[in-house]
Amino acid sequence: MATRRQFIRISAVGAGAVLAGAAGFRLMAPEPVKALSGSAGEMLRRIPTYCEVCFWKCAGWVYRDDKGAIKKIVGNNEDLNCNGRFCPRGTGGIGMYYDDDRLRTPLIRTEERGQQSFREATWEEAFDYIAEKIKKISAEHGPECLALFTHGSGGKYFSTLLRALGSPHVAAPSYAQCRGPREVAFQGTFGETIESPERTDIRDTKCLVLIGSHIGENMHNGQVQEMSDAIDKGATIITVDPRYSTAAGKSKYWLPIKPATDLALLLAWINVIINEELYDKPYVEKYTFGLDYLREHVRSMTPEWAYGITTIDPTVIRETAREMANASPAVIIHPGRHVTWYGDDTQRLRAVAILNALLGSWGRRGGFYRPEIFELPEPPHPPFPEPKRSWRTEFPDLYKLADSVLANGLCDATVPDPSRHCQFQGWIVNGTNLIETLPNQENTLKAIQALQLLVVIDTMPMEITGWADVVLPECTYLERFDDIRTGPHRKPQIALRAPAAEPMYNTKPSFWMARELAKRLGVIDYFPFERIEDQLDWQLKQAGSSLDEMMKLGVKTFDRQYEDLYFAPGEDVEFYTPTGKIELYSTTFEEAGFDPLPKYTHHEEPPPGFYRLNYGRAPMHTFSRTSNNPNLTDLMDENTLWVNPRVAKEWGLSTGQYVHLVNQDGKKSEFPIKVRVTERIRWDSVYMVHGFGHDQKKLRRCYGKGASDTNLITKVLVDPLMGGTGMRGNFVTFITDLSGKEVAS
Ligand SMILES: Nc1nc2c(c(=O)[nH]1)N[C@H]1C(S)=C(S)[C@@H](COP(=O)(O)OP(=O)(O)OC[C@H]3O[C@@H](n4cnc5c(=O)[nH]c(N)nc54)[C@H](O)[C@@H]3O)O[C@H]1N2
Ligand SMILES: Nc1nc2c(c(=O)[nH]1)N[C@H]1C(S)=C(S)[C@@H](COP(=O)(O)OP(=O)(O)OC[C@H]3O[C@@H](n4cnc5c(=O)[nH]c(N)nc54)[C@H](O)[C@@H]3O)O[C@H]1N2
Ligand code: SF4
Ligand SMILES: [Mo]
């Protein structure tokens, strides 16, 4: 675009999209047909899938009737991620297919007399447009100036496309906006990462410590089930959270910590465990490096010291430390998942890792097991060209411990800066609503304005699509094949996703889109199979299965190939760290110029009259991807603002009343939010569920419902070790005087 991009509400587009039978698309016969009685006695057939409503990827069966209508979706009993049970979001996933606000046909941005709008386009037009722009960018700036942002299954194929073109820049928000710090911290300590699903052996644990990890609202399926089983078997749950979460309600101890002070609590626990000699001595002696340094480091970090910082009673700190030690080694100090909070997150998670190491839980039953993953061969293709530059070239001294591309890093490297040689020119965005996902929306928009090309592949007209030059409508996960799921677990397992219906409207799967672009860009060799079915069949046959077999089974479990699930007594274990030991003292961190032992640093506190903005998950929604889902909006259609009664009294707020919020930088919420007065949140914070407050009118069910936390996250506390974006350093206050027209509902 020569001119500045205008945000386009997709409602401007006529509704004349074609309902096309996609050429070349063939539904696999669901063989053998598992018959099941429908409500009117009709026969239903089942097709295997794995869920795309969140990234736990539970495997299940989709049932459709004789006329091809999708009726329901249930868990696959053999699946290790879900054990036959879907969560409410997964069950409601059918709503993604039936949502009549879905994207229907490719769109291209056009401009007439200064007014931009989308015009409906054919797939050929859309691909030609994109290919021409990509060729131009590659010729003028190098292919490295192309970036892919992706979250979800189809990203795999666009990643192949980008790497074939010569760009290494593939980023997922699930790293720098989510679990990156924990992976870096555990890698530095144990030489291995946690990954997803987490290797936590919750089902056999005797003590589970949750630090800002709210399993129960965080509905990651297998974990929730295992936690409930552990509780039934008498496990102690200790929850550290400024909010009385669902998990806190199931806990023996709830520690309502002052936000941003967790590192002090962790260090005090380490202090108690070392001083009272509660650690697993043979384990620590055999497997770890640096106990003496650690002992010296935490010497003054007593529970009394931590009390002054965290507001947690020293007696409780000692008691909970002893609870953990009593359960050792069947204890888990949970590494958490969305851990980008205050910018010292990697160090906080180092303390978590150290605590687990002292208690001997890594590699032990009821602690952390050794997962195995099924290695499925990739389809043969030429080697990827060696990129000449990477984002690292532009930021050589920053984020040295980052082991993945940073989504925010790519965004920063797109904002024009005369001191940089390489500036990103083209973005492909697949399955991530960057406007709501990356903190500091102003920065995201600055980057977007500097692009020559923005392609968005999505199923819904989300905020990000409004900024695209080309929108490519993907069919939902219920209408397509995708890569075989191979995630890590107690046993290696694979799962198939097959289409249960033909793509609605003029929508297509990512595999097909990426391949069509590859044809036009001269890199078709990287996509040796024309049809994804044939690729999957080839891959499965290499592994001793086949597409036919997987259509019948849905999931297939294999025997473990390598080590046992847990360390054998006295086993010699080589850890993938520089010392070959579990590093209580991290030589990797030291080498990179960072603290080898975690230090507590004080974080800014809310100014008078302001409250820390805290946010999290609701059991029936996933970020913004479900907020328009008809089945799930029935369960929850807006978020609320949790306010402590003391604060409510001071401000004269009552439950049900709408307020606006304004943050420390004067940024105001776009839509008002309903107050919920509750003791379940500390007086220094307010809380809301992430994923609401959409400003795309075409999202008819969720437009203007509730507030967006991202709107108010203008301050970002970046982790100097790996670039994670801490988002919990924002403070808000209330605007109670609403002019009636602002209230959305
Ligand atoms: N303010 C704030 N920011 C956050 C968080 C927070 O809690 N608060 N959480 C952070 C965390 S932990 C994470 S993991 C990230 C998650 O960030 P994202 O993964 O970006 O999450 P969503 O907002 O759900 O965006 C998913 C997008 O994918 C689209 N989509 C759904 N299904 C498909 C499909 O089959 N194909 C395609 N092509 N698109 C599809 C949806 O319509 C939506 O636009 O956000 C991070 N950012
Ligand atoms: N239903 C549902 N489940 C999901 C998702 C979803 O969208 N919906 N998303 C999935 C994804 S990608 C992720 S990453 C996970 C995220 O889930 P989690 O990692 O469990 O955590 P958050 O969503 O960040 O929840 C934050 C919790 O931390 C607390 N908290 C806030 N500040 C502090 C603090 O300073 N100290 C302490 N100790 N606690 C604090 C909050 O009160 C809240 O309870 O959930 C996964 N599961
Ligand atoms: S946890 Fe729920 S939403 Fe996530 S994959 Fe499993 S069933 Fe789907
Ligand atoms: Mo996440």
Side-chain angles (χ1 to χ4, degrees):
M1 280 262 111
T3 45
R4 219 177 134 76
R5 273 185 188 74
Q6 293 166 1
F7 176 72
I8 305 175
R9 298 193 192 276
I10 290 185
S11 50
V13 178
V18 272
L19 211 139
F25 183 85
R26 174 174 72 94
L27 275 179
M28 294 277 294
E31 293 282 4
V33 289
K34 160 87 178 182
L36 186 124
S37 283
S39 51
E42 88 255 58
M43 296 300 273
L44 299 179
R45 289 153 194 265
R46 69 177 194 182
I47 300 94
T49 191
Y50 58 87
C51 182
E52 183 85 2
V53 185
C54 88
F55 303 98
W56 201 254
K57 297 187 179 158
C58 300
W61 297 106
V62 189
Y63 284 91
R64 70 162 197 253
D65 69 14
D66 291 346
K67 295 174 210 75
I70 295 180
K71 290 294 197 192
K72 66 172 182 176
I73 177 165
V74 299
N76 184 321
N77 288 332
E78 304 307 315
D79 178 35
L80 296 171
N81 292 13
C82 83
N83 308 306
R85 281 174 284 158
F86 266 26
C87 84
R89 299 168 297 151
T91 309
I94 300 172
M96 273 163 126
Y97 168 72
Y98 284 114
D99 192 330
D100 48 7
D101 290 342
R102 279 174 59 173
L103 292 169
R104 294 172 179 227
T105 199
L107 303 170
I108 298 180
R109 178 180 293 265
T110 57
E111 177 158 353
E112 256 177 68
R113 289 183 296 274
Q115 194 54 45
Q116 296 176 9
S117 62
F118 283 127
R119 71 173 176 84
E120 292 178 8
T122 63
W123 282 99
E124 282 66 30
E125 283 174 305
F127 291 143
D128 288 347
Y129 180 104
I130 297 167
E132 192 192 314
K133 281 276 171 93
I134 287 184
K135 281 183 194 157
K136 182 166 174 285
I137 292 170
S138 298
E140 291 173 2
H141 302 269
E144 299 86 357
C145 290
L146 297 164
L148 169 67
F149 296 79
T150 175
H151 204 190
S153 311
K156 171 84 189 291
Y157 311 116
F158 288 100
S159 167
T160 303
L161 176 70
L162 230 73
R163 294 177 66 200
L165 292 170
S167 172
H169 294 123
V170 178
S174 49
Y175 185 74
Q177 282 66 52
C178 178
R179 58 191 171 84
R182 95 174 176 195
E183 306 301 7
V184 173
F186 275 68
Q187 177 73 41
T189 313
F190 298 103
E192 279 180 76
T193 50
I194 299 288
E195 300 300 320
S196 176
E198 282 85 359
R199 56 201 295 168
T200 43
D201 203 17
I202 298 178
R203 82 180 173 196
D204 284 328
T205 201
K206 296 197 183 109
C207 178
L208 175 63
V209 184
L210 301 172
I211 304 173
S213 183
H214 59 330
I215 298 176
E217 285 143 308
N218 158 356
M219 261 293 171
H220 275 170
N221 202 340
Q223 256 193 134
V224 180
Q225 294 177 20
E226 290 198 17
M227 177 164 136
S228 150
D229 291 348
I231 292 172
D232 288 347
K233 287 192 280 177
T236 299
I237 314 288
I238 299 170
T239 297
V240 183
D241 198 312
R243 186 178 64 95
Y244 189 73
S245 59
T246 304
K250 311 249 181 257
S251 300
K252 178 164 175 194
Y253 293 93
W254 171 43
L255 279 54
I257 195 165
K258 178 171 172 179
T261 67
D262 296 76
L263 193 40
L265 172 67
L266 287 157
L267 291 164
W269 272 337
I270 294 173
N271 170 295
V272 175
I273 282 167
I274 294 182
N275 281 352
E276 298 189 7
E277 302 201 19
L278 298 172
Y279 56 95
D280 184 334
K281 285 200 185 127
Y283 181 99
V284 168
E285 194 172 313
K286 185 168 174 62
Y287 295 129
T288 71
F289 166 78
L291 178 66
D292 292 339
Y293 294 114
L294 178 65
R295 181 183 285 119
E296 192 49 39
H297 179 71
V298 298
R299 191 178 293 281
S300 60
M301 300 170 184
T302 58
E304 284 68 25
W305 164 80
Y307 170 60
I309 299 171
T310 60
T311 73
I312 305 297
D313 188 330
T315 328
V316 174
I317 298 181
R318 287 201 172 82
E319 256 177 53
T320 44
R322 289 172 198 148
E323 283 272 358
M324 292 177 216
N326 281 340
S328 158
V331 51
I332 300 167
I333 296 71
H334 199 288
R337 185 156 176 131
H338 175 47
V339 289
T340 46
W341 300 354
Y342 303 105
D344 58 353
D345 305 302
T346 307
Q347 292 291 9
R348 185 183 70 250
L349 291 152
R350 268 274 297 152
V352 169
I354 290 170
L355 204 48
N356 279 300
L358 290 174
L359 295 168
S361 66
W362 186 262
R364 310 289 279 283
R365 183 183 293 277
F368 293 78
Y369 62 78
R370 291 194 277 208
E372 272 198 23
I373 192 161
F374 193 82
E375 305 280 352
L376 201 64
E378 286 295 312
H381 63 68
F384 291 121
E386 200 54 49
K388 295 190 187 62
R389 285 184 309 224
S390 88
W391 66 281
R392 277 243 173 259
T393 330
E394 297 304 310
F395 301 98
D397 299 323
L398 287 178
Y399 321 133
K400 284 196 188 143
L401 296 177
D403 53 9
S404 287
V405 184
L406 307 173
N408 47 304
L410 296 185
C411 194
D412 292 348
T414 304
V415 176
D417 180 335
S419 71
R420 281 188 214 123
H421 304 102
C422 167
Q423 186 201 312
F424 285 91
Q425 304 289 324
W427 286 7
I428 299 176
V429 177
N430 178 67
T432 166
N433 187 14
L434 291 183
I435 307 292
E436 290 299 320
T437 298
L438 296 179
N440 192 350
Q441 290 175 323
E442 200 186 321
N443 193 54
T444 312
L445 291 176
K446 243 191 233 163
I448 287 177
Q449 290 299 0
L451 290 170
Q452 291 193 42
L453 175 68
L454 173 56
V455 180
V456 175
I457 301 109
D458 208 298
T459 52
M460 295 295 296
M462 303 300 270
E463 281 74 12
I464 185 70
T465 56
W467 296 101
D469 299 312
V470 186
V471 179
L472 303 178
E474 183 160 42
C475 51
T476 66
Y477 70 106
L478 296 170
E479 302 158 285
R480 64 183 200 235
F481 284 105
D482 267 309
D483 242 37
I484 302 293
R485 185 200 84 186
T486 56
H489 221 291
R490 291 182 176 98
K491 283 185 169 181
Q493 190 177 58
I494 56 175
L496 173 70
R497 173 185 288 161
E502 290 204 14
M504 260 205 234
Y505 314 115
N506 190 17
T507 62
K508 299 277 193 181
S510 280
F511 175 87
W512 180 80
M513 292 182 218
R515 195 170 188 280
E516 285 297 310
L517 282 168
K519 270 189 207 163
R520 284 161 175 81
L521 290 164
V523 290
I524 193 66
D525 287 356
Y526 294 86
F527 293 84
F529 293 94
E530 191 176 339
R531 297 178 339 140
I532 188 170
E533 298 89 303
D534 299 332
Q535 175 167 319
L536 298 177
D537 194 41
W538 180 87
Q539 284 182 289
L540 289 165
K541 283 189 173 138
Q542 306 298 304
S545 180
S546 67
L547 189 55
D548 277 344
E549 184 188 53
M550 288 302 289
M551 285 298 290
K552 292 175 195 138
L553 296 177
V555 299
K556 187 166 181 177
T557 315
F558 298 84
D559 289 333
R560 289 176 68 93
Q561 295 286 307
Y562 305 104
E563 307 146 311
D564 290 334
L565 207 46
Y566 311 113
F567 299 170
E571 182 180 332
D572 289 326
V573 183
E574 176 81 12
F575 297 89
Y576 306 116
T577 57
T579 56
K581 301 261 182 191
I582 298 173
E583 297 202 350
L584 303 175
Y585 181 97
S586 171
T587 58
T588 318
F589 282 32
E590 184 174 47
E591 177 80 5
F594 301 113
D595 291 333
L597 290 163
K599 284 193 189 129
Y600 172 73
T601 40
H602 177 75
H603 295 287
E604 196 185 343
E605 297 193 21
F610 280 77
Y611 306 89
R612 193 180 291 276
L613 176 64
N614 181 359
Y615 56 82
R617 315 274 173 257
M620 55 295 262
H621 281 285
T622 307
F623 317 117
S624 57
R625 68 173 48 218
T626 54
S627 29
N628 204 62
N629 179 316
N631 298 344
L632 301 177
T633 47
D634 274 357
L635 302 176
M636 173 179 178
D637 70 347
E638 67 184 309
N639 58 355
T640 57
L641 185 74
W642 296 29
V643 180
N644 183 277
R646 190 166 131 190
V647 177
K649 192 163 173 227
E650 207 172 300
W651 286 82
L653 301 175
S654 46
T655 295
Q657 164 184 4
Y658 282 86
V659 293
H660 264 292
L661 296 172
V662 60
N663 80 357
Q664 74 285 338
D665 297 326
K667 182 85 191 292
K668 192 180 156 199
S669 51
E670 193 169 351
F671 302 103
I673 181 167
K674 200 197 273 186
V675 169
R676 170 180 171 197
V677 179
T678 170
E679 292 281 1
R680 294 175 61 169
I681 183 83
R682 280 176 59 110
W683 58 268
D684 51 10
S685 310
V686 291
Y687 175 83
M688 68 170 78
V689 168
H690 169 64
F692 288 84
H694 285 279
D695 70 355
Q696 262 286 15
K697 278 203 168 126
K698 186 68 181 172
L699 297 168
R700 284 175 295 180
R701 269 172 233 97
C702 67
Y703 170 78
K705 294 277 178 74
S708 153
D709 55 339
T710 316
N711 247 225
L712 300 160
I713 300 177
T714 51
K715 183 164 181 189
V716 187
L717 305 170
V718 180
D719 191 324
L721 282 71
M722 49 61 71
T725 55
M727 307 195 227
R728 299 237 162 102
N730 289 268
F731 310 115
V732 294
T733 190
F734 314 100
I735 303 176
T736 49
D737 180 20
L738 299 188
S739 52
K741 65 178 183 330
E742 281 182 306
V743 180
S745 56

